[in-house]
Amino acid sequence: MKTWKIWKNRSETYWKINHLYHMKSLGIKIIKVSALFLVLLFSILMLKTISQYTSLEKNIGFLAFKQQVADNPYWMTFFYIHIFSITLCLLAGLTQFSNRFLAENKGLHKMIGKIYVYNILIINVPACFVLGLFSNGGIIGITGFLIQDVLWAYFTIAAILFIKKGNVSTHRIYMILSYAVTTTAITFRIIKNLFYNETLHDYELFYGLNVWAALFINLFIAYLILRKESLLPGKINGGKED
């Protein structure tokens, strides 16, 4: 009888642990699918927004608020480089966090990863640094954009260095953080469309605070994802695999 109770308790414990594990896995999958769907949806919406700039007119969309630099050929060049390449970063990142995609398409994963990294480090980080210096939102917006740019470069470079050392888990951490910064463009627009009211808010102040809000929200979401995937404990260990 005693042996039966011990076996029963162990079976119940095993069932509970197994149930919690599957619930956790399901939760991670739901978060991933939801996040991928939202990024894809807003990437498409961004493409629609970006398409208006193909006319090269200087008084449409965002440029209507940047007339002080709209005649500066250098600023305009960096602006067009950024807006026409950022969607490629967003779409490239969509495929990079699927374990199934990675297992079945390692070569394609590496190729898309290189496109993502080169796009950020060679094209968008330099372009966004220049654009950030002339950002809306006053000193709040400028510092927010420049810090985003520095973090974007740091997370992406760290991801490269760790994968070269063979540390896949830490590479994944920094790629998630890098993509969190990449998608601040989406979060920024969501906040603006949901909460900005030109009769109630000062545009410059709202814009500057929105830059910081988008960054904090995305990094917090990245933190939750990393916790869900149990990647945070012992994440930095001198470049060696956990």
Side-chain angles (χ1 to χ4, degrees):
M1 189 69 179
K2 185 176 181 182
T3 303
W4 162 253
K5 288 183 178 179
I6 293 174
W7 182 86
K8 183 180 179 182
N9 289 335
R10 286 180 178 177
S11 297
E12 290 177 351
T13 301
Y14 173 80
W15 183 87
K16 289 178 181 179
I17 293 173
N18 192 49
H19 178 70
L20 289 173
Y21 173 79
H22 285 293
M23 288 298 293
K24 182 179 178 181
S25 298
L26 179 62
I28 293 172
K29 289 180 180 178
I30 292 173
I31 291 173
K32 283 184 177 180
V33 171
S34 300
L36 290 175
F37 174 76
L38 288 174
V39 171
L40 180 59
L41 174 63
F42 283 100
S43 294
I44 294 171
L45 293 176
M46 281 188 68
L47 279 174
K48 182 179 178 181
T49 300
I50 289 169
S51 65
Q52 67 183 315
Y53 297 112
T54 56
S55 66
L56 301 183
E57 294 180 18
K58 297 181 179 180
N59 60 347
I60 57 174
F62 174 74
L63 292 176
F65 299 94
K66 303 298 295 184
Q67 291 302 296
Q68 71 275 21
V69 290
D71 291 322
N72 184 320
Y74 299 105
W75 189 91
M76 289 297 295
T77 299
F78 282 115
F79 173 75
Y80 286 123
I81 287 173
H82 171 60
I83 63 169
F84 291 133
S85 64
I86 187 60
T87 304
L88 183 60
C89 286
L90 291 168
L91 295 176
L94 281 175
T95 64
Q96 297 303 90
F97 304 105
S98 168
N99 292 330
R100 181 175 179 180
F101 180 86
L102 175 58
E104 297 177 357
N105 306 276
K106 290 185 178 180
L108 187 57
H109 169 80
K110 290 181 179 179
M111 184 184 74
I112 295 175
K114 288 180 179 180
I115 293 172
Y116 174 83
V117 166
Y118 291 149
N119 192 323
I120 290 174
L121 297 181
I122 297 176
I123 298 175
N124 272 289
V125 165
C128 288
F129 181 80
V130 174
L131 296 176
L133 293 174
F134 298 91
S135 170
N136 292 335
I139 191 65
I140 298 175
I142 292 172
T143 54
F145 268 120
L146 293 180
I147 288 175
Q148 276 190 22
D149 204 43
V150 171
L151 289 176
W152 206 13
Y154 172 73
F155 292 149
T156 306
I157 292 172
I160 296 170
L161 294 177
F162 277 106
I163 198 60
K164 286 184 178 293
K165 294 178 180 179
N167 191 328
V168 177
S169 60
T170 309
H171 164 75
R172 185 176 176 84
I173 289 171
Y174 281 109
M175 283 301 290
I176 289 173
L177 291 171
S178 171
Y179 198 60
V181 179
T182 300
T183 52
T184 54
I186 292 176
T187 308
F188 180 92
R189 283 160 180 78
I190 292 174
I191 295 172
K192 182 176 182 292
N193 292 333
L194 287 178
F195 299 108
Y196 178 67
N197 186 321
E198 60 181 9
T199 61
L200 298 177
H201 302 122
D202 176 80
Y203 178 78
E204 288 292 305
L205 179 60
F206 184 93
Y207 192 100
L209 293 176
N210 193 4
V211 172
W212 285 95
L215 179 61
F216 282 129
I217 289 171
N218 280 28
L219 290 180
F220 181 67
I221 292 173
Y223 169 76
L224 293 179
I225 292 172
L226 293 173
R227 281 196 62 184
K228 281 285 185 181
E229 294 192 357
S230 301
L231 287 172
L232 285 177
K235 61 182 179 301
I236 304 300
N237 51 14
K240 297 179 180 179
E241 197 64 75
D242 293 343

